[in-house]
Amino acid sequence: MHTITVDAVLFDMDGTLIDSTPGVLAAWEKFGQEFGFDPVVAARKGHGRRPMDSLGELCNLENPEQLAAVVARFEEEVIKGGPTLLPGAKALLAQIDAGSSPTARGWTIVTSATRVYASQALERTGIPSPVAGYVTSDDVTRGKPQPEPYLAGAQRIGVDPKNCLVVEDAPLGLLAGRAAGAHTLAVCTSHTREEIAASGSAPDFIVDNLTRVSARWVDGKVEVEIDDSL
């Protein structure tokens, strides 16, 4: 059991708070057939990246308008797959919300998805939209594993990224969090502990899922308790 005190928790969305795996795999399968690439390899390498980055490369699309249209179709397929809430997510967010204030929000979301997709996914799964807003692929020029998304997330809620905990399921996202200077927590919802260890993402903590994490407010900061026992 470990305890860490931070100003805020920055959550990835897909694979961390919600499970969109069926829709994601179906989307890669459909677009792999349409554009002639291996959907299994694409799904593995694209996990955690902005769809515009992966699809731009795989579909050889340089025209911004064409790429945006393809990304929109891709994310529509993911939504059709029916994203679902992951265990422990809603309870943990409620614990942080319980002590938040206008000057100490305590959490936000930093996702590689577009704002259109994120809003639909949050609504479908019942995840509350962060009061201070959240960061999507539309808000950054360089996505994960670059630090820009998590730097933007910390800025969104007015905290120093070094005093944040990034929660991620994807090695690329964990690398982004570390590059931003944050502490990092990996959830084994899409990768095994062995895969995360072998990825080089070097998270500070690893848990099976968010049922192993709890939070409370202490003196204006978020105290996060992490049960990373096997």
Side-chain angles (χ1 to χ4, degrees):
M1 189 77 74
H2 296 275
T3 300
I4 181 171
T5 300
V6 295
D7 290 334
V9 184
L10 309 178
F11 293 93
D12 171 52
M13 188 175 70
D14 292 77
T16 300
L17 298 175
I18 68 174
D19 181 12
S20 56
T21 303
V24 168
L25 295 179
W28 281 124
E29 182 68 31
K30 179 174 181 176
F31 281 74
Q33 292 177 3
E34 182 176 341
F35 289 95
F37 59 78
D38 186 332
V40 176
V41 174
R44 184 177 71 250
K45 291 186 175 181
H47 190 69
R49 293 185 77 195
R50 297 187 304 173
M52 68 176 66
D53 294 330
S54 296
L55 289 166
E57 294 172 5
L58 292 167
C59 304
N60 296 313
L61 295 172
E62 296 182 0
N63 181 287
E65 292 183 358
Q66 290 180 331
L67 178 56
V70 168
V71 170
R73 286 201 295 121
F74 183 90
E75 292 187 329
E76 285 174 5
E77 291 298 321
V78 178
I79 287 292
K80 287 179 184 177
T84 57
L85 188 67
L86 279 169
K90 207 166 184 179
L92 179 57
L93 296 180
Q95 290 168 2
I96 302 175
D97 268 340
S100 66
S101 70
T103 57
R105 296 299 184 188
W107 72 281
T108 192
I109 291 171
V110 178
T111 176
S112 293
T114 66
R115 186 163 298 279
V116 170
Y117 169 83
S119 63
Q120 293 181 44
L122 293 176
E123 182 178 358
R124 288 220 178 183
T125 55
I127 293 287
S129 182
V131 174
Y134 48 89
V135 175
T136 72
S137 63
D138 303 324
D139 302 310
V140 299
T141 56
R142 303 182 71 192
K144 303 171 187 179
Q146 301 303 319
E148 185 181 348
Y150 281 111
L151 293 175
Q155 183 180 39
R156 175 81 64 176
I157 50 177
V159 296
D160 187 329
K162 294 179 181 178
N163 297 328
C164 290
L165 176 66
V166 163
V167 184
E168 271 274 0
D169 70 303
L172 291 180
L174 291 165
L175 288 168
R178 179 169 290 279
H183 305 280
T184 55
L185 167 63
V187 288
C188 298
T189 51
S190 61
H191 295 74
T192 65
R193 288 174 181 262
E194 292 73 22
E195 288 171 336
I196 291 172
S199 72
S201 57
D204 297 299
F205 312 100
I206 304 178
V207 295
D208 293 335
N209 57 49
L210 292 180
T211 63
R212 309 293 289 275
V213 183
S214 61
R216 63 172 184 159
W217 286 83
V218 178
D219 297 328
K221 293 185 178 293
V222 184
E223 185 180 273
V224 184
E225 191 170 84
I226 302 165
D227 180 1
D228 59 356
S229 60
L230 297 176

